[in-house]
Amino acid sequence: MSAVDLARRTTADPLLRLLSHGFSRGFHRPPDAVWRAPYAFRVSAYAVRDSTAALRGPASALRGSASGFRVSASAVPPGSAGTGPEPGADWFAAAGHYVDVAVAPRADGMLRCASLNHPAETAELPLTGPAARAPAWAARPYAVLRGLAAAGCGRGGADLQLNAPLPEAVGLPVAESLECAVALAVSGVHAGRGGDPPTRSQLARLLGSAVPGDDGLRRAVLFARAGHLLAADGRTHLPLRAPDGATDAGLLLLTARPTATRDANAGDATPATPGTPTARTAAGLATAVREALRAGAWSAWWPGTRPGRGVLLLVPPDRRAAVRTATAEAFRRCDLPVPRLLRINAVDAARREA
């Protein structure tokens, strides 16, 4: 499928059709390529093993052993450099939810950037010379593409249309997925005009030097395999298995809904910031995790590097309904809106769609 006719292809993913149509309307030409990159998440080496550990309090409810995932470093062969994953290190995977990028190359060294998530804002930014001030949603992609341009990749510029359909408040990290998507898209269309594109390993190194971020999440976006975990080295894959050996690991993302809440500690109405829970919401999440573990969930952990509004749960298939009920009741008791529970599948790395 070509990017030119993607907007008119009735069998294509509706989000990709919308992205391609938005690009054509905004930039008055069709995109040359459309890329899709998965959201990525951590599989903590300190995920909860059982409900006994979780019942000791909110902090311990999100820590413990990762033995439920069977990711013992001693069982993993060493990487090509002769060293395997460090004992106790986190693992990573790509989720079956995606950010999308439509792109066409330019030759004037400028980046024109738009987003379906911010339709009232566009940006026109130079990739060389003094940096311009970018909108918040474009700041990290802009920094990435300036870093690539400084390394001689994509210096001609590009028109970009972005789409990150899951809101930040869901709890899955998005920055690294967008960075990888724009880097793959821009380097790819410029390579199509002559020269070889950087390899994914080279892109991973360029991204790490261009913008501070989570290198493990970036490697998951670039190198993940469906149904597998990826070590931080970016080379070692391990099949994702539930504690009972089932291939369906039953991952659910439990997310507190953003709302204005009355924080018991602050004593006033506190608006919930996307990605950052208030004290009351954090207490609700901890309570819901304890109840989920009582209802049969195997473990729970934060999907990113820090506590947020989303918690990943490893749940046996026959206990999903019980866990949904238990977490909803826990939030109601805390006088909070019923949380979202989003199914998460471990999928393949970023790919070109058109």
Side-chain angles (χ1 to χ4, degrees):
M1 182 189 302
S2 72
V4 173
D5 68 358
L6 182 60
R8 299 187 297 273
R9 188 68 62 91
T10 58
T11 56
D13 186 306
L15 287 177
L16 295 179
R17 293 181 63 199
L18 178 62
L19 180 72
S20 182
H21 177 72
F23 184 99
S24 298
R25 290 292 299 271
F27 297 116
H28 308 293
R29 59 171 173 160
D32 277 30
V34 175
W35 280 79
R36 169 160 277 190
Y39 286 77
F41 60 93
R42 285 177 173 264
V43 179
S44 175
Y46 301 101
V48 171
R49 177 165 49 186
D50 54 38
S51 58
T52 304
L55 295 178
R56 290 197 287 266
S60 62
L62 298 174
R63 297 170 54 212
S65 168
S67 60
F69 273 98
R70 300 183 179 181
V71 294
S72 170
S74 62
V76 180
S80 59
T83 58
E86 296 180 5
D90 286 352
W91 291 68
F92 302 86
H97 301 273
Y98 301 89
V99 302
D100 303 314
V101 175
V103 62
R106 296 171 65 93
D108 59 359
M110 298 296 293
L111 170 67
R112 287 196 303 176
C113 194
S115 172
L116 294 183
N117 313 105
H118 303 272
E121 287 186 287
T122 59
E124 189 161 346
L125 308 161
L127 290 182
T128 58
R133 183 177 180 84
W137 55 268
R140 289 177 71 111
Y142 179 41
V144 163
L145 294 182
R146 281 185 62 88
L148 292 183
C153 179
R155 291 174 63 90
D159 289 336
L160 282 180
Q161 180 94 9
L162 313 176
N163 184 32
L166 290 183
E168 184 182 357
V170 165
L172 287 176
V174 66
E176 288 80 5
S177 298
L178 275 175
E179 292 161 12
C180 292
V182 299
L184 288 164
V186 172
S187 63
V189 293
H190 278 283
R193 295 189 162 196
D196 295 325
T199 66
R200 293 197 176 197
S201 295
Q202 290 170 331
L203 277 181
R205 290 192 293 271
L206 286 171
L207 289 169
S209 61
V211 182
D214 191 318
D215 290 335
L217 292 176
R218 289 188 183 119
R219 292 189 182 101
V221 177
L222 294 171
F223 303 112
R225 294 180 188 169
H228 285 71
L229 301 173
L230 178 69
D233 61 13
R235 299 184 301 269
T236 307
H237 293 81
L238 193 71
L240 173 59
R241 294 286 185 268
D244 61 2
T247 56
D248 181 1
L251 285 170
L252 295 177
L253 180 67
L254 169 69
T255 304
R257 297 178 186 270
T259 182
T261 62
R262 183 166 295 279
D263 193 311
N265 296 327
D268 58 2
T270 305
T273 303
T276 305
T278 63
R280 196 157 162 261
T281 301
L285 278 170
T287 301
V289 165
R290 289 197 296 271
E291 293 304 317
L293 294 165
R294 279 197 180 107
W298 281 310
S299 59
W301 66 95
W302 304 116
T305 56
R306 67 185 71 181
R309 304 188 65 85
V311 176
L312 278 167
L313 300 170
L314 179 63
V315 182
D318 62 350
R319 302 305 300 166
R320 287 176 190 154
V323 166
R324 288 180 182 273
T325 300
T327 55
E329 288 300 322
F331 269 70
R332 288 193 187 101
R333 289 199 305 273
C334 294
D335 195 25
L336 293 167
V338 173
R340 299 181 181 93
L341 272 169
L342 186 65
R343 181 72 185 275
I344 300 294
N345 295 314
V347 300
D348 284 320
R351 62 184 183 269
R352 180 172 173 168
E353 292 286 341

